[in-house]
Amino acid sequence: MLNAQAEFEKREREIKEYLSHLEALELKTGLSVSLMNTMKSSALLMIYNSIESTMTNVLQDVFDHLQVHSVEFNSLNSTMKALVLTYSKKKNTTTLV
């Protein structure tokens, strides 16, 4: 989980820096409204990508933990079993965990 958290915190800093830069530009320049809207849309995409990346990293950390600790499939609850099966189908692996 530390990798996912570190990556999230890095992206969070980048987004905050970008938003601060946008606010300063908006106050100090006469940029057109359409350009500012485009830049704000870019910020929203950054936030979305950050969330998606964080969730991917968290899920990878969970599966790595299951594999490293040799957690048996039958010991998982039904939600985790469904998640493992879905993930395994996407990965097309020969082992489930």
Side-chain angles (χ1 to χ4, degrees), residues 4-66:
Q5 185 173 356
E7 184 66 25
F8 173 79
E9 289 170 357
K10 176 185 168 199
R11 289 176 181 263
E12 180 183 32
R13 284 189 303 275
E14 291 171 354
I15 291 168
K16 284 181 178 179
E17 184 178 334
Y18 182 75
L19 290 174
S20 293
H21 183 67
L22 271 183
E23 288 174 359
L25 273 176
E26 196 169 22
L27 293 173
K28 295 179 182 178
T29 65
L31 292 176
S32 69
V33 172
S34 65
L35 179 59
M36 287 306 297
N37 286 340
T38 300
M39 294 171 81
K40 289 176 183 176
S41 294
S42 294
L44 288 174
L45 285 173
M46 289 173 68
I47 292 167
Y48 174 84
N49 288 338
S50 177
I51 292 168
E52 182 180 42
S53 173
T54 299
M55 290 308 302
T56 299
N57 289 337
V58 166
L59 289 172
Q60 186 61 53
D61 286 350
V62 167
F63 284 102
D64 289 347
H65 176 84
L66 294 175

Side-chain angles (χ1 to χ4, degrees), residues 1 30 59 67 74 87 92:
M1 285 281 188
L59 289 172
Q67 192 168 35
N74 289 331
Y87 182 78
N92 202 16

